[in-house]
Protein backbone atom coordinates (compact mmCIF):
# COMPACT_ATOMS: atom_id res chain seq x y z
CA UNK A 1 0.00 0.00 0.00
CA UNK A 2 0.98 3.65 -0.29
CA UNK A 3 1.56 5.73 2.84
CA UNK A 4 2.98 9.08 3.96
CA UNK A 5 6.01 8.10 5.99
CA UNK A 6 8.59 9.91 8.07
CA UNK A 7 11.72 8.15 6.88
CA UNK A 8 14.54 10.24 8.31
CA UNK A 9 15.31 12.86 10.91
CA UNK A 10 14.95 15.61 8.36
CA UNK A 11 12.02 17.96 7.86
CA UNK A 12 9.23 16.55 5.68
CA UNK A 13 8.08 13.04 4.82
CA UNK A 14 7.94 10.65 1.91
CA UNK A 15 5.11 9.00 -0.06
CA UNK A 16 6.06 5.38 -0.58
CA UNK A 17 5.12 1.71 -0.67
CA UNK A 18 4.87 -0.09 2.67
CA UNK A 19 3.31 -3.33 3.90
CA UNK A 20 -0.39 -3.39 4.74
CA UNK A 21 -0.48 -3.64 8.58
CA UNK A 22 -1.41 -6.93 10.21
CA UNK A 23 -4.14 -6.57 12.80
CA UNK A 24 -4.11 -7.88 16.36
CA UNK A 25 -7.11 -9.75 17.79
CA UNK A 26 -8.69 -6.60 19.23
CA UNK A 27 -8.15 -4.48 16.12
CA UNK A 28 -9.89 -3.60 12.89
CA UNK A 29 -8.22 -3.10 9.53
CA UNK A 30 -9.73 -0.12 7.85
CA UNK A 31 -9.40 1.11 4.28
CA UNK A 32 -8.77 4.80 4.86
CA UNK A 33 -11.14 7.00 2.85
CA UNK A 34 -9.95 10.40 4.15
CA UNK A 35 -7.57 11.96 6.64
CA UNK A 36 -7.16 15.53 7.80
CA UNK A 37 -3.99 17.25 8.90
CA UNK A 38 -3.75 18.31 12.53
CA UNK A 39 -1.15 19.88 14.81
CA UNK A 40 0.25 16.48 15.81
CA UNK A 41 0.86 15.57 12.17
CA UNK A 42 2.45 18.94 11.52
CA UNK A 43 4.79 18.45 14.49
CA UNK A 44 6.05 15.14 13.09
CA UNK A 45 6.27 16.41 9.50
CA UNK A 46 8.18 19.56 10.48
CA UNK A 47 10.47 18.06 13.09
CA UNK A 48 14.10 17.22 12.37
CA UNK A 49 17.36 16.20 13.98
CA UNK A 50 17.37 15.40 17.70
CA UNK A 51 13.87 16.96 17.99
CA UNK A 52 12.39 14.50 15.48
CA UNK A 53 8.89 13.79 16.83
CA UNK A 54 8.48 10.33 15.27
CA UNK A 55 8.83 7.55 17.88
CA UNK A 56 10.77 5.37 15.42
CA UNK A 57 11.76 5.45 11.77
CA UNK A 58 10.20 4.77 9.34
CA UNK A 59 6.90 5.96 10.83
CA UNK A 60 3.43 6.37 9.29
CA UNK A 61 1.81 9.33 10.99
CA UNK A 62 -1.77 10.72 10.81
CA UNK A 63 -4.05 11.16 13.84
CA UNK A 64 -7.28 12.24 12.14
CA UNK A 65 -8.91 9.77 9.77
CA UNK A 66 -11.87 7.64 8.83
CA UNK A 67 -12.53 4.65 6.66
CA UNK A 68 -14.30 1.42 5.97
CA UNK A 69 -13.81 -1.78 7.93
CA UNK A 70 -12.27 -4.50 5.75
CA UNK A 71 -10.98 -6.98 8.34
CA UNK A 72 -12.03 -7.73 11.93
CA UNK A 73 -9.92 -9.25 14.71
CA UNK A 74 -11.39 -12.21 16.56
CA UNK A 75 -11.90 -10.18 19.77
CA UNK A 76 -13.24 -7.06 18.04
CA UNK A 77 -16.96 -7.33 18.65
CA UNK A 78 -19.76 -5.16 17.28
CA UNK A 79 -18.35 -4.45 13.81
CA UNK A 80 -19.05 -5.75 10.34
CA UNK A 81 -17.13 -5.46 7.11
CA UNK A 82 -18.19 -2.30 5.31
CA UNK A 83 -18.92 -0.33 8.52
CA UNK A 84 -17.91 3.31 8.20
CA UNK A 85 -15.86 4.44 11.18
CA UNK A 86 -14.02 7.49 12.44
CA UNK A 87 -11.04 6.96 14.69
CA UNK A 88 -10.60 8.15 18.27
CA UNK A 89 -6.83 8.65 18.31
CA UNK A 90 -6.40 8.19 22.06
CA UNK A 91 -5.76 4.56 22.93
CA UNK A 92 -6.82 4.18 26.56
CA UNK A 93 -5.91 1.24 28.77
CA UNK A 94 -9.32 0.83 30.41
CA UNK A 95 -7.94 -0.19 33.82
CA UNK A 96 -6.07 2.80 35.30
CA UNK A 97 -7.59 5.20 37.81
CA UNK A 98 -8.52 7.81 35.20
CA UNK A 99 -10.07 5.24 32.87
CA UNK A 100 -12.14 3.91 35.76
CA UNK A 101 -13.28 7.45 36.55
CA UNK A 102 -14.57 8.24 33.05
CA UNK A 103 -11.42 10.17 32.11
CA UNK A 104 -10.13 7.86 29.39
CA UNK A 105 -8.80 10.80 27.35
CA UNK A 106 -6.12 11.39 30.00
CA UNK A 107 -5.43 7.70 30.67
CA UNK A 108 -2.21 7.10 32.63
CA UNK A 109 -1.03 4.68 29.94
CA UNK A 110 -2.23 6.76 27.01
CA UNK A 111 -0.86 6.07 23.54
CA UNK A 112 -1.89 8.12 20.52
CA UNK A 113 -2.52 6.69 17.07
CA UNK A 114 -0.25 8.49 14.60
CA UNK A 115 2.05 9.74 17.37
CA UNK A 116 3.06 6.63 19.33
CA UNK A 117 1.77 3.90 17.02
CA UNK A 118 1.33 4.00 13.21
CA UNK A 119 -1.44 6.31 12.00
CA UNK A 120 -3.86 6.92 9.18
CA UNK A 121 -1.98 8.72 6.41
CA UNK A 122 -2.01 5.44 4.51
CA UNK A 123 -4.33 3.39 2.35
CA UNK A 124 -4.95 0.99 5.25
CA UNK A 125 -4.61 1.32 9.03
CA UNK A 126 -4.95 -1.05 11.97
CA UNK A 127 -6.95 0.51 14.81
CA UNK A 128 -8.13 -0.90 18.14
CA UNK A 129 -11.84 -1.67 17.98
CA UNK A 130 -12.34 0.26 21.25
CA UNK A 131 -11.05 3.41 19.51
CA UNK A 132 -13.44 3.08 16.56
CA UNK A 133 -16.62 5.14 16.31
CA UNK A 134 -19.15 3.42 14.07
CA UNK A 135 -21.35 5.79 12.11
CA UNK A 136 -24.97 4.75 11.94
CA UNK A 137 -25.37 6.01 8.36
CA UNK A 138 -23.44 7.79 5.59
CA UNK A 139 -24.61 11.34 6.32
CA UNK A 140 -21.26 12.40 7.81
CA UNK A 141 -19.11 10.54 5.31
CA UNK A 142 -17.70 13.73 3.77
CA UNK A 143 -16.51 14.97 7.18
CA UNK A 144 -15.62 11.65 8.84
CA UNK A 145 -11.93 12.56 8.97
CA UNK A 146 -12.45 15.64 11.12
CA UNK A 147 -14.37 13.97 13.94
CA UNK A 148 -11.23 13.77 16.08
CA UNK A 149 -10.34 17.50 16.03
CA UNK A 150 -13.99 18.54 15.97
CA UNK A 151 -14.55 16.45 19.09
CA UNK A 152 -11.71 18.21 20.89
CA UNK A 153 -13.40 21.53 20.17
CA UNK A 154 -16.72 20.13 21.41
CA UNK A 155 -14.98 19.04 24.60
CA UNK A 156 -13.27 22.42 25.08
CA UNK A 157 -16.34 24.55 24.41
CA UNK A 158 -19.23 22.56 25.86
CA UNK A 159 -17.69 21.53 29.19
CA UNK A 160 -19.71 24.37 30.70
CA UNK A 161 -23.02 26.12 30.02
CA UNK A 162 -22.52 28.92 27.48
CA UNK A 163 -26.11 30.07 27.05
CA UNK A 164 -26.15 33.86 27.11
CA UNK A 165 -22.38 34.06 27.60
CA UNK A 166 -19.74 36.03 25.75
CA UNK A 167 -16.96 33.78 24.52
CA UNK A 168 -13.52 34.68 23.25
CA UNK A 169 -11.97 32.15 20.87
CA UNK A 170 -8.24 32.79 20.84
CA UNK A 171 -6.66 31.27 17.70
CA UNK A 172 -8.59 30.43 14.53
CA UNK A 173 -6.74 27.42 13.22
CA UNK A 174 -9.35 24.74 12.39
CA UNK A 175 -10.09 23.83 16.00
CA UNK A 176 -10.74 27.48 16.82
CA UNK A 177 -13.01 27.73 13.78
CA UNK A 178 -14.95 24.68 14.94
CA UNK A 179 -15.06 26.15 18.45
CA UNK A 180 -16.65 29.36 17.14
CA UNK A 181 -19.47 27.40 15.50
CA UNK A 182 -19.95 25.15 18.54
CA UNK A 183 -20.08 28.11 20.95
CA UNK A 184 -22.69 29.78 18.77
CA UNK A 185 -24.74 26.57 18.62
CA UNK A 186 -24.30 26.21 22.38
CA UNK A 187 -26.19 29.44 22.93
CA UNK A 188 -23.36 31.95 23.34
CA UNK A 189 -24.59 35.53 23.16
CA UNK A 190 -21.47 36.73 21.40
CA UNK A 191 -18.47 34.91 19.99
CA UNK A 192 -15.34 37.00 19.51
CA UNK A 193 -12.47 35.48 17.52
CA UNK A 194 -8.78 36.39 17.55
CA UNK A 195 -6.24 35.50 14.88
CA UNK A 196 -3.47 37.33 13.03
CA UNK A 197 -4.43 35.70 9.69
CA UNK A 198 -6.93 37.75 7.71
CA UNK A 199 -8.04 34.59 5.87
CA UNK A 200 -8.79 32.78 9.12
CA UNK A 201 -10.57 35.76 10.64
CA UNK A 202 -12.93 35.77 7.67
CA UNK A 203 -13.54 32.06 8.14
CA UNK A 204 -14.22 32.62 11.85
CA UNK A 205 -16.98 35.09 11.00
CA UNK A 206 -18.40 32.60 8.50
CA UNK A 207 -18.39 30.00 11.29
CA UNK A 208 -20.35 32.17 13.70
CA UNK A 209 -18.08 34.77 15.31
CA UNK A 210 -19.77 38.17 15.56
CA UNK A 211 -16.40 39.83 15.17
CA UNK A 212 -12.83 38.75 14.48
CA UNK A 213 -9.91 40.81 15.75
CA UNK A 214 -6.29 40.89 14.64
CA UNK A 215 -4.26 40.63 17.87
CA UNK A 216 -1.13 41.88 16.12
CA UNK A 217 -2.77 45.21 15.18
CA UNK A 218 -2.61 46.69 18.71
CA UNK A 219 -5.30 47.90 21.16
CA UNK A 220 -6.65 44.37 21.19
CA UNK A 221 -8.02 44.44 24.73
CA UNK A 222 -9.85 47.70 24.04
CA UNK A 223 -11.34 46.17 20.87
CA UNK A 224 -12.54 43.14 22.83
CA UNK A 225 -14.13 45.18 25.63
CA UNK A 226 -15.82 47.38 23.05
CA UNK A 227 -17.75 44.26 21.99
CA UNK A 228 -18.29 42.53 25.35
CA UNK A 229 -18.43 45.53 27.67
CA UNK A 230 -15.90 46.67 30.30
CA UNK A 231 -16.56 43.71 32.60
CA UNK A 232 -14.83 41.33 30.17
CA UNK A 233 -15.76 38.06 28.48
CA UNK A 234 -17.37 35.16 30.37
CA UNK A 235 -15.18 32.49 28.84
CA UNK A 236 -11.91 32.24 26.94
CA UNK A 237 -11.20 29.22 24.78
CA UNK A 238 -7.43 29.55 24.28
CA UNK A 239 -6.48 27.48 21.24
CA UNK A 240 -3.32 29.16 19.98
CA UNK A 241 -0.83 28.34 22.73
CA UNK A 242 0.84 31.71 22.15
CA UNK A 243 2.29 33.30 25.28
CA UNK A 244 0.87 36.73 24.45
CA UNK A 245 -2.49 35.22 23.57
CA UNK A 246 -2.68 33.51 26.97
CA UNK A 247 -1.83 36.77 28.71
CA UNK A 248 -4.37 38.69 26.65
CA UNK A 249 -7.04 36.05 27.25
CA UNK A 250 -6.58 36.27 31.01
CA UNK A 251 -6.80 40.07 30.88
CA UNK A 252 -9.96 39.92 28.74
CA UNK A 253 -11.68 37.45 31.08
CA UNK A 254 -14.07 38.78 33.72
CA UNK A 255 -13.49 37.81 37.38
CA UNK A 256 -15.06 34.40 37.96
CA UNK A 257 -14.85 33.57 34.26
CA UNK A 258 -13.70 30.28 32.74
CA UNK A 259 -10.37 29.93 30.96
CA UNK A 260 -10.02 26.82 28.81
CA UNK A 261 -6.36 26.01 28.19
CA UNK A 262 -6.23 24.03 24.95
CA UNK A 263 -3.39 25.38 22.77
CA UNK A 264 0.07 24.04 23.53
CA UNK A 265 2.77 26.65 24.20
CA UNK A 266 6.19 25.68 22.90
CA UNK A 267 7.94 27.14 25.95
CA UNK A 268 7.01 27.54 29.60
CA UNK A 269 4.78 30.52 30.30
CA UNK A 270 5.30 33.22 32.86
CA UNK A 271 2.01 34.21 34.52
CA UNK A 272 0.84 36.55 37.25
CA UNK A 273 -0.69 33.51 38.92
CA UNK A 274 -1.90 35.35 42.04
CA UNK A 275 -3.16 38.46 40.29
CA UNK A 276 -4.60 37.01 37.11
CA UNK A 277 -6.02 33.71 38.39
CA UNK A 278 -6.27 33.27 42.16
CA UNK A 279 -7.49 36.69 43.26
CA UNK A 280 -9.87 37.01 40.30
CA UNK A 281 -11.46 33.61 40.93
CA UNK A 282 -10.71 32.34 37.44
CA UNK A 283 -11.72 28.76 36.69
CA UNK A 284 -8.79 27.32 34.77
CA UNK A 285 -9.38 24.10 32.87
CA UNK A 286 -6.92 22.14 30.76
CA UNK A 287 -8.52 20.25 27.88
CA UNK A 288 -6.78 17.48 25.95
CA UNK A 289 -8.57 15.25 23.50
CA UNK A 290 -12.19 14.22 23.68
CA UNK A 291 -14.24 12.71 26.45
CA UNK A 292 -14.43 9.11 25.30
CA UNK A 293 -17.09 8.68 24.11
CA UNK A 294 -19.30 11.39 25.63
CA UNK A 295 -17.88 14.04 23.27
CA UNK A 296 -18.59 11.72 20.31
CA UNK A 297 -22.28 11.46 21.16
CA UNK A 298 -22.44 15.24 21.48
CA UNK A 299 -20.75 15.83 18.14
CA UNK A 300 -22.89 13.29 16.35
CA UNK A 301 -25.96 15.12 17.60
CA UNK A 302 -24.63 18.59 16.75
CA UNK A 303 -23.62 17.51 13.25
CA UNK A 304 -26.62 15.39 12.32
CA UNK A 305 -29.13 17.95 13.58
CA UNK A 306 -27.42 20.63 11.50
CA UNK A 307 -26.85 22.76 14.62
CA UNK A 308 -23.17 22.97 13.64
CA UNK A 309 -21.89 22.90 10.07
CA UNK A 310 -18.10 22.51 10.05
CA UNK A 311 -17.84 22.35 6.25
CA UNK A 312 -16.97 26.04 5.60
CA UNK A 313 -13.79 25.43 7.65
CA UNK A 314 -12.75 22.58 5.34
CA UNK A 315 -11.05 24.66 2.70
CA UNK A 316 -8.73 22.38 0.74
CA UNK A 317 -8.50 18.80 -0.46
CA UNK A 318 -5.42 17.07 -1.83
CA UNK A 319 -4.58 13.50 -2.71
CA UNK A 320 -2.07 11.68 -0.50
CA UNK A 321 0.60 11.93 -3.18
CA UNK A 322 0.34 15.73 -3.09
CA UNK A 323 0.73 15.87 0.70
CA UNK A 324 3.71 18.25 0.44
CA UNK A 325 1.47 20.93 -1.05
CA UNK A 326 -0.89 20.63 1.91
CA UNK A 327 1.88 20.92 4.50
CA UNK A 328 3.43 23.85 2.60
CA UNK A 329 0.10 25.66 2.74
CA UNK A 330 -0.23 25.16 6.51
CA UNK A 331 3.39 26.17 7.07
CA UNK A 332 3.09 29.30 4.94
CA UNK A 333 3.23 32.65 6.71
CA UNK A 334 -0.18 33.73 5.35
CA UNK A 335 -1.88 30.49 6.45
CA UNK A 336 -4.57 30.81 3.79
CA UNK A 337 -6.26 27.57 4.73
CA UNK A 338 -8.68 26.05 7.20
CA UNK A 339 -8.80 22.29 7.65
CA UNK A 340 -7.11 20.34 4.85
CA UNK A 341 -8.40 16.91 3.87
CA UNK A 342 -6.16 14.32 2.23
CA UNK A 343 -7.54 11.35 0.32
CA UNK A 344 -5.78 8.22 -0.90
ZN1 LIG B 1 -6.13 4.11 31.47
Amino acid sequence: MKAIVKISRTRGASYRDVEVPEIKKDELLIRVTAASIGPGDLAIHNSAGPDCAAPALPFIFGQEFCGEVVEIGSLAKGFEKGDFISVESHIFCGVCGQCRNDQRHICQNLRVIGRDVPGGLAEYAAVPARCSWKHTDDSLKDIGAIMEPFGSSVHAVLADDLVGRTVLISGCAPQGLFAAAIAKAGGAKRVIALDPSDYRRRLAVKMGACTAIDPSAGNCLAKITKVCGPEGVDAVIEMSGGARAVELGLKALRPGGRFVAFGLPVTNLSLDYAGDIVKRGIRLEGVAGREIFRSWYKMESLLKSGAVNPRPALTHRFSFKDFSKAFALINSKEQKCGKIILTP
Side-chain angles (χ1 to χ4, degrees), residues 92-100 104 107-110:
F92 51 94
C93 76
V95 296
C96 74
Q98 278 98 293
C99 281
R100 288 178 168 183
R104 295 170 194 86
C107 166
Q108 277 176 33
N109 305 304
L110 189 70

Side-chain angles (χ1 to χ4, degrees), residues 53-194:
L57 296 172
F59 185 68
I60 301 169
F61 52 114
Q63 294 181 18
E64 308 174 359
F65 58 103
C66 61
E68 194 182 299
V69 175
V70 292
E71 205 181 314
I72 302 165
S74 59
L75 298 178
K77 302 297 178 201
F79 294 89
E80 286 175 32
K81 284 184 185 177
D83 281 347
F84 178 58
I85 64 155
S86 291
V87 176
E88 164 54 64
S89 66
H90 285 189
I91 306 177
F92 51 94
C93 76
V95 296
C96 74
Q98 278 98 293
C99 281
R100 288 178 168 183
N101 278 289
D102 274 348
Q103 295 174 314
R104 295 170 194 86
H105 60 292
I106 45 169
C107 166
Q108 277 176 33
N109 305 304
L110 189 70
R111 288 174 302 147
V112 176
I113 297 172
R115 186 192 75 186
D116 305 314
V117 301
L121 288 172
E123 287 181 290
Y124 293 90
V127 293
R130 69 180 184 282
C131 297
S132 302
W133 173 266
K134 185 160 91 172
H135 291 270
T136 51
D137 58 40
D138 288 347
S139 61
L140 303 180
K141 214 158 192 174
D142 62 322
I143 54 171
I146 63 145
M147 296 294 274
E148 198 258 25
F150 183 79
S152 301
S153 299
V154 164
H155 182 193
V157 175
L158 296 184
D160 197 18
D161 179 13
L162 288 180
V163 178
R165 305 290 191 181
T166 303
V167 181
L168 179 69
I169 310 284
S170 169
C172 296
Q175 278 169 319
L177 296 173
F178 297 149
I182 295 159
K184 185 85 180 150
K189 183 168 68 179
R190 288 190 197 92
V191 178
I192 304 167
L194 290 182

Side-chain angles (χ1 to χ4, degrees), residues 2 11 32 52 80 93 107 167-168 178 187 224 244 262 264 272 279 307 313 317 319:
K2 291 283 191 189
R11 191 179 163 99
V32 175
C52 179
E80 286 175 32
C93 76
C107 166
V167 181
L168 179 69
F178 297 149
I224 294 169
R244 283 171 61 194
F262 182 94
L264 302 174
D272 179 3
K279 292 179 183 172
R317 285 175 190 267
S319 67

Side-chain angles (χ1 to χ4, degrees), residues 168-225:
L168 179 69
I169 310 284
S170 169
C172 296
Q175 278 169 319
L177 296 173
F178 297 149
I182 295 159
K184 185 85 180 150
K189 183 168 68 179
R190 288 190 197 92
V191 178
I192 304 167
L194 290 182
D195 199 278
S197 157
D198 177 53
Y199 183 93
R200 288 183 167 173
R201 287 199 304 278
R202 284 168 204 256
L203 276 179
V205 170
K206 217 186 253 186
M207 295 296 284
C210 68
T211 186
I213 297 167
D214 178 1
S216 61
N219 290 329
C220 196
L221 193 58
K223 287 173 187 168
I224 294 169
T225 49

